[in-house]
Amino acid sequence: MSLVLPGKVFFVGAGPGDPGLLAVKAAKILQAADVVIADRLVGMDIIAEYVNAQTLVIPVGKQGGSSASKPQEEINAIIVKMAKRHAKVVRLKGGDITIFSNILDELEALVSANIPYELVPGITAVSGAAAYAGIPLTARNHSTGVRILTYYQTAAISNEAWQELARFVDTLVFYMSGNALPNIVSKLLQAGAEPTMPFAVVEQATTPHQHVHMFTLEEFILRQRDAEFTSPSLVIMGRVAGLYPQFAWLPNSADRSAYFTPLQGQGQFLAAK
Ligand code: SAH
């Protein structure tokens, strides 16, 4: 191997869970990697299937509010340090690399350290969830578009924006919002949303533990507001969600335990193969 340092960093999207959803290009890059710096929402199956035994795997799992999270600066520093020591560094992120992924911070760190990089997209959670639940996101006569949102903090959506969202004819998708659902649904209803509007909560989409829960706004707030969802889950809201019963093709898993477990070991480990 000719070692031209600094190495290159490949931002690679791992897809939502099913290892078969990894892009062919991503798989080739992973197989050739010297180091893989992996997010929490990357399944062990992907590491086991595509990463060589001699590759260094560094889990840098981030989970909302968890004390196990590595601060972003520390992650940036690890990426830069690894690129100075190794030729091919993969920054492996769950789903796609550019959606709710903190990639901006990492790109800035690389640009200021003069380290070259490449971006390889992945299948984002909502694409995986929609396909594996049989929900056509922009079905003709049901929706004219999709809005990808998050609501993990109150400030993320202004009051005016709620008014606008409540009148939606589009499909609304919420990432990182499982715990905030009672809040989201109340806000939408207060802002005048249609009480019979359906929505799906897709838990652990595309993994063997996938489970889809269907509600209407009104039903949820009256009877289900205490429902708990296994992380990761996302919400697909709007008339297209009503197509789920008709086109679902995967039965719900009875196993609602967490599919994404912390990647083995603390700190660095050699991938088991
Ligand atoms: N970059 C990722 C998103 C990271 S934010 C992507 O493009 O998919 C993390 C959020 O993504 C989770 O809180 C959840 O809302 C969603 N998510 C990721 N994987 C998921 C999965 N397998 N099933 C359901 N939601 C998922």
Side-chain angles (χ1 to χ4, degrees):
M1 180 176 63
S2 70
L3 211 57
V4 184
L5 293 174
K8 192 171 195 181
V9 175
F10 297 82
F11 289 88
V12 173
D18 181 348
L21 293 180
L22 196 75
V24 174
K25 181 169 182 175
K28 287 184 181 157
I29 291 171
L30 268 181
Q31 274 151 4
D34 300 307
V35 186
V36 175
I37 302 167
D39 268 356
R40 190 185 70 88
L41 290 180
V42 171
M44 272 310 287
D45 292 347
I46 286 185
I47 303 290
E49 205 165 320
Y50 298 106
V51 175
N52 286 319
Q54 64 276 16
T55 302
L56 210 53
V57 177
I58 307 178
V60 291
K62 293 191 95 187
Q63 182 163 29
S66 151
S67 56
S69 302
K70 272 209 191 308
Q72 187 60 48
E73 273 105 68
E74 218 176 292
I75 297 176
N76 300 347
I78 292 173
I79 301 172
V80 169
K81 185 169 95 185
M82 288 301 138
K84 289 183 173 163
R85 292 187 187 167
H86 300 277
K88 290 195 175 119
V89 176
V90 170
R91 175 68 177 107
L92 189 60
K93 290 172 172 284
D96 179 50
I97 50 172
T98 69
I99 295 184
F100 299 129
S101 75
N102 282 338
I103 196 174
L104 177 59
D105 296 298
E106 299 174 13
L107 287 174
E108 282 170 350
L110 291 183
V111 167
S112 46
N114 240 326
I115 293 167
Y117 55 83
E118 219 174 276
L119 307 191
V120 182
I123 292 180
T124 190
V126 68
S127 298
Y132 281 44
I135 297 175
L137 283 179
T138 61
R140 185 164 41 83
N141 298 331
H142 289 73
S143 163
T144 58
V146 182
R147 296 179 71 168
I148 295 182
L149 305 154
T150 185
Y151 184 67
Y152 64 94
Q153 53 193 29
T154 322
I157 300 176
S158 68
N159 282 339
E160 299 76 60
W162 284 113
Q163 303 289 329
E164 195 220 330
L165 288 177
R167 291 192 298 268
F168 62 87
V169 285
D170 292 346
T171 306
L172 301 184
V173 172
F174 291 91
Y175 279 60
M176 295 182 283
S177 306
N179 299 333
L181 208 47
N183 233 325
I184 294 174
V185 174
S186 314
K187 291 263 192 194
L188 286 170
L189 286 170
Q190 279 160 21
E194 182 57 57
T196 56
M197 188 63 78
F199 68 92
V201 178
V202 187
E203 273 177 359
Q204 315 203 76
T206 82
T207 77
H209 300 192
Q210 174 174 301
H211 196 111
V212 183
H213 306 262
M214 283 298 306
F215 308 96
T216 64
L217 294 179
E218 172 180 65
E219 204 176 82
F220 180 83
I221 224 60
L222 292 178
R223 286 186 289 278
Q224 305 281 335
R225 58 181 311 146
D226 296 328
E228 289 191 9
F229 304 105
T230 310
S231 170
S233 66
L234 66 74
V235 178
I236 301 177
M237 193 177 282
R239 289 174 56 201
V240 298
L243 295 168
Y244 167 73
Q246 204 178 342
F247 298 108
W249 57 274
L250 252 186
N252 273 339
S253 167
D255 186 352
R256 292 183 64 201
S257 65
Y259 169 81
F260 294 96
T261 48
L263 292 178
Q264 216 177 60
Q266 290 299 309
Q268 306 190 11
F269 66 96
L270 294 180
K273 181 122 198 207

